[in-house]
Amino acid sequence: MGLLTGKTALITGAARGIGKGIALKFAAEGANIAFTDLEENKETEMEIAALGVKAKSYASNAADFAQTEEVVNKVHEEFGSIDILVNNAGITKDGLMMRMTEQQWDAVIAVNLKSAFNFIHAVTPIMMRQKSGSIINMASVVGVHGNAGQSNYAASKAGLIALAKSIGQELGSRGVRANAIAPGFIETAMTAQLSEEIREEWKKKIPLRRGGTVEDIANVATFLASDLSSYVTGQVIQVDGGMNM
């Protein structure tokens, strides 16, 4: 009997990386998994289903309000409930403010922040009727502390933190919790592209002297998704090895 047995999780942007890691961990704990990405991903779907749970991939542009409503309705119809929502979809378009284009700003805000609004808006009536639910926004330490050259990304991630706190206040009386996770330097395919020199400089700034793993994030997400955190809402948990104490 896993921590999430009998629950259905909806995870955005979960075809790869941190989102996929969370999906696999949730499935290992017994949750049925519905996940979205820009295209259906049958390979990841089969990988999750192999853990003995129901899994289904949905093609959806998370930044599109109408598409999101449609997908959430399909998931609810096909799975019967939506107990956990993980807003993980995200992109980066880095640049210094003086060189940043309007398109770079708008794209990051739309995918990272508006998508979370879209999905929370769509699942709220479902979770309110259930009188239970856990919403998890994947933020970032730069959403807490900022970062030069990432004003669009940092603003979107700060928005996700404030959004979780606000939803936690709105829906707490209906048994729905909302929290945010703020990862630090995580070892992913994206960070693997950085030079060894840059990676080592990063690690020197981290008290635990290593980059985080996808599993480190997935473990905290599992805690927030499960009944172990039944009295935790409106919080942001930094998973960064102590980088930003």
PDB file of all heavy atoms in Angstrom, residues 210-227:
ATOM      1  N   ARG A 210      26.784  19.277  -3.534  1.00  0.00           N
ATOM      2  CA  ARG A 210      26.363  18.500  -4.705  1.00  0.00           C
ATOM      3  C   ARG A 210      25.127  19.120  -5.314  1.00  0.00           C
ATOM      4  O   ARG A 210      24.414  19.886  -4.653  1.00  0.00           O
ATOM      5  CB  ARG A 210      26.064  17.043  -4.328  1.00  0.00           C
ATOM      6  CG  ARG A 210      24.814  16.858  -3.451  1.00  0.00           C
ATOM      7  CD  ARG A 210      24.473  15.385  -3.307  1.00  0.00           C
ATOM      8  NE  ARG A 210      23.317  15.140  -2.434  1.00  0.00           N
ATOM      9  CZ  ARG A 210      22.038  15.140  -2.848  1.00  0.00           C
ATOM     10  NH1 ARG A 210      21.734  15.397  -4.117  1.00  0.00           N
ATOM     11  NH2 ARG A 210      21.056  14.888  -1.992  1.00  0.00           N
ATOM     12  N   GLY A 211      24.913  18.787  -6.562  1.00  0.00           N
ATOM     13  CA  GLY A 211      23.664  19.188  -7.180  1.00  0.00           C
ATOM     14  C   GLY A 211      22.557  18.266  -6.701  1.00  0.00           C
ATOM     15  O   GLY A 211      22.815  17.147  -6.254  1.00  0.00           O
ATOM     16  N   GLY A 212      21.340  18.744  -6.763  1.00  0.00           N
ATOM     17  CA  GLY A 212      20.205  17.907  -6.393  1.00  0.00           C
ATOM     18  C   GLY A 212      19.854  16.953  -7.510  1.00  0.00           C
ATOM     19  O   GLY A 212      20.272  17.123  -8.661  1.00  0.00           O
ATOM     20  N   THR A 213      19.090  15.927  -7.177  1.00  0.00           N
ATOM     21  CA  THR A 213      18.626  14.974  -8.187  1.00  0.00           C
ATOM     22  C   THR A 213      17.126  15.157  -8.403  1.00  0.00           C
ATOM     23  O   THR A 213      16.430  15.756  -7.567  1.00  0.00           O
ATOM     24  CB  THR A 213      18.885  13.527  -7.742  1.00  0.00           C
ATOM     25  OG1 THR A 213      18.081  13.259  -6.574  1.00  0.00           O
ATOM     26  CG2 THR A 213      20.359  13.309  -7.405  1.00  0.00           C
ATOM     27  N   VAL A 214      16.650  14.617  -9.506  1.00  0.00           N
ATOM     28  CA  VAL A 214      15.211  14.630  -9.774  1.00  0.00           C
ATOM     29  C   VAL A 214      14.477  13.911  -8.637  1.00  0.00           C
ATOM     30  O   VAL A 214      13.394  14.323  -8.226  1.00  0.00           O
ATOM     31  CB  VAL A 214      14.928  13.962 -11.140  1.00  0.00           C
ATOM     32  CG1 VAL A 214      13.440  13.708 -11.318  1.00  0.00           C
ATOM     33  CG2 VAL A 214      15.449  14.842 -12.275  1.00  0.00           C
ATOM     34  N   GLU A 215      15.102  12.863  -8.101  1.00  0.00           N
ATOM     35  CA  GLU A 215      14.489  12.109  -7.000  1.00  0.00           C
ATOM     36  C   GLU A 215      14.328  12.978  -5.752  1.00  0.00           C
ATOM     37  O   GLU A 215      13.347  12.836  -5.010  1.00  0.00           O
ATOM     38  CB  GLU A 215      15.323  10.867  -6.663  1.00  0.00           C
ATOM     39  CG  GLU A 215      15.274   9.770  -7.715  1.00  0.00           C
ATOM     40  CD  GLU A 215      16.039  10.108  -8.986  1.00  0.00           C
ATOM     41  OE1 GLU A 215      17.013  10.899  -8.902  1.00  0.00           O
ATOM     42  OE2 GLU A 215      15.656   9.603 -10.053  1.00  0.00           O
ATOM     43  N   ASP A 216      15.305  13.875  -5.509  1.00  0.00           N
ATOM     44  CA  ASP A 216      15.196  14.778  -4.359  1.00  0.00           C
ATOM     45  C   ASP A 216      13.921  15.624  -4.454  1.00  0.00           C
ATOM     46  O   ASP A 216      13.234  15.853  -3.454  1.00  0.00           O
ATOM     47  CB  ASP A 216      16.412  15.710  -4.280  1.00  0.00           C
ATOM     48  CG  ASP A 216      17.691  14.989  -3.892  1.00  0.00           C
ATOM     49  OD1 ASP A 216      17.623  14.054  -3.076  1.00  0.00           O
ATOM     50  OD2 ASP A 216      18.762  15.370  -4.401  1.00  0.00           O
ATOM     51  N   ILE A 217      13.636  16.094  -5.652  1.00  0.00           N
ATOM     52  CA  ILE A 217      12.424  16.903  -5.866  1.00  0.00           C
ATOM     53  C   ILE A 217      11.177  16.027  -5.757  1.00  0.00           C
ATOM     54  O   ILE A 217      10.192  16.398  -5.116  1.00  0.00           O
ATOM     55  CB  ILE A 217      12.461  17.585  -7.251  1.00  0.00           C
ATOM     56  CG1 ILE A 217      13.729  18.418  -7.427  1.00  0.00           C
ATOM     57  CG2 ILE A 217      11.219  18.457  -7.447  1.00  0.00           C
ATOM     58  CD1 ILE A 217      13.915  19.511  -6.418  1.00  0.00           C
ATOM     59  N   ALA A 218      11.232  14.857  -6.379  1.00  0.00           N
ATOM     60  CA  ALA A 218      10.079  13.947  -6.384  1.00  0.00           C
ATOM     61  C   ALA A 218       9.709  13.510  -4.972  1.00  0.00           C
ATOM     62  O   ALA A 218       8.523  13.345  -4.651  1.00  0.00           O
ATOM     63  CB  ALA A 218      10.369  12.728  -7.257  1.00  0.00           C
ATOM     64  N   ASN A 219      10.710  13.339  -4.110  1.00  0.00           N
ATOM     65  CA  ASN A 219      10.434  12.928  -2.721  1.00  0.00           C
ATOM     66  C   ASN A 219       9.655  13.999  -1.964  1.00  0.00           C
ATOM     67  O   ASN A 219       8.719  13.697  -1.219  1.00  0.00           O
ATOM     68  CB  ASN A 219      11.747  12.626  -1.987  1.00  0.00           C
ATOM     69  CG  ASN A 219      12.383  11.335  -2.451  1.00  0.00           C
ATOM     70  OD1 ASN A 219      11.720  10.453  -2.989  1.00  0.00           O
ATOM     71  ND2 ASN A 219      13.685  11.215  -2.249  1.00  0.00           N
ATOM     72  N   VAL A 220      10.040  15.265  -2.163  1.00  0.00           N
ATOM     73  CA  VAL A 220       9.323  16.362  -1.493  1.00  0.00           C
ATOM     74  C   VAL A 220       7.922  16.508  -2.079  1.00  0.00           C
ATOM     75  O   VAL A 220       6.948  16.749  -1.349  1.00  0.00           O
ATOM     76  CB  VAL A 220      10.116  17.686  -1.607  1.00  0.00           C
ATOM     77  CG1 VAL A 220       9.313  18.850  -1.029  1.00  0.00           C
ATOM     78  CG2 VAL A 220      11.446  17.565  -0.876  1.00  0.00           C
ATOM     79  N   ALA A 221       7.811  16.336  -3.398  1.00  0.00           N
ATOM     80  CA  ALA A 221       6.491  16.400  -4.039  1.00  0.00           C
ATOM     81  C   ALA A 221       5.577  15.306  -3.494  1.00  0.00           C
ATOM     82  O   ALA A 221       4.380  15.531  -3.268  1.00  0.00           O
ATOM     83  CB  ALA A 221       6.638  16.273  -5.554  1.00  0.00           C
ATOM     84  N   THR A 222       6.135  14.122  -3.258  1.00  0.00           N
ATOM     85  CA  THR A 222       5.345  13.009  -2.713  1.00  0.00           C
ATOM     86  C   THR A 222       4.840  13.340  -1.315  1.00  0.00           C
ATOM     87  O   THR A 222       3.678  13.071  -0.975  1.00  0.00           O
ATOM     88  CB  THR A 222       6.185  11.719  -2.684  1.00  0.00           C
ATOM     89  OG1 THR A 222       6.629  11.422  -4.015  1.00  0.00           O
ATOM     90  CG2 THR A 222       5.371  10.549  -2.158  1.00  0.00           C
ATOM     91  N   PHE A 223       5.706  13.939  -0.511  1.00  0.00           N
ATOM     92  CA  PHE A 223       5.291  14.382   0.824  1.00  0.00           C
ATOM     93  C   PHE A 223       4.112  15.354   0.735  1.00  0.00           C
ATOM     94  O   PHE A 223       3.098  15.193   1.437  1.00  0.00           O
ATOM     95  CB  PHE A 223       6.474  15.033   1.542  1.00  0.00           C
ATOM     96  CG  PHE A 223       6.107  15.830   2.763  1.00  0.00           C
ATOM     97  CD1 PHE A 223       5.682  15.198   3.928  1.00  0.00           C
ATOM     98  CD2 PHE A 223       6.183  17.224   2.754  1.00  0.00           C
ATOM     99  CE1 PHE A 223       5.339  15.941   5.056  1.00  0.00           C
ATOM    100  CE2 PHE A 223       5.840  17.961   3.882  1.00  0.00           C
ATOM    101  CZ  PHE A 223       5.420  17.324   5.028  1.00  0.00           C
ATOM    102  N   LEU A 224       4.223  16.353  -0.150  1.00  0.00           N
ATOM    103  CA  LEU A 224       3.169  17.368  -0.270  1.00  0.00           C
ATOM    104  C   LEU A 224       1.892  16.804  -0.885  1.00  0.00           C
ATOM    105  O   LEU A 224       0.795  17.297  -0.616  1.00  0.00           O
ATOM    106  CB  LEU A 224       3.668  18.553  -1.100  1.00  0.00           C
ATOM    107  CG  LEU A 224       4.741  19.426  -0.434  1.00  0.00           C
ATOM    108  CD1 LEU A 224       5.241  20.486  -1.404  1.00  0.00           C
ATOM    109  CD2 LEU A 224       4.205  20.082   0.842  1.00  0.00           C
ATOM    110  N   ALA A 225       2.035  15.774  -1.709  1.00  0.00           N
ATOM    111  CA  ALA A 225       0.858  15.173  -2.348  1.00  0.00           C
ATOM    112  C   ALA A 225       0.118  14.229  -1.415  1.00  0.00           C
ATOM    113  O   ALA A 225      -1.081  13.996  -1.571  1.00  0.00           O
ATOM    114  CB  ALA A 225       1.291  14.408  -3.603  1.00  0.00           C
ATOM    115  N   SER A 226       0.830  13.684  -0.441  1.00  0.00           N
ATOM    116  CA  SER A 226       0.264  12.648   0.425  1.00  0.00           C
ATOM    117  C   SER A 226      -0.358  13.228   1.695  1.00  0.00           C
ATOM    118  O   SER A 226      -0.222  14.415   2.001  1.00  0.00           O
ATOM    119  CB  SER A 226       1.366  11.657   0.815  1.00  0.00           C
ATOM    120  OG  SER A 226       2.201  12.220   1.822  1.00  0.00           O
ATOM    121  N   ASP A 227      -0.996  12.334   2.448  1.00  0.00           N
ATOM    122  CA  ASP A 227      -1.610  12.735   3.715  1.00  0.00           C
ATOM    123  C   ASP A 227      -0.577  13.019   4.798  1.00  0.00           C
ATOM    124  O   ASP A 227      -0.933  13.508   5.881  1.00  0.00           O
ATOM    125  CB  ASP A 227      -2.585  11.656   4.186  1.00  0.00           C
ATOM    126  CG  ASP A 227      -3.797  11.542   3.258  1.00  0.00           C
ATOM    127  OD1 ASP A 227      -4.078  12.521   2.538  1.00  0.00           O
ATOM    128  OD2 ASP A 227      -4.446  10.479   3.249  1.00  0.00           O
TER     129      ASP A 227
END
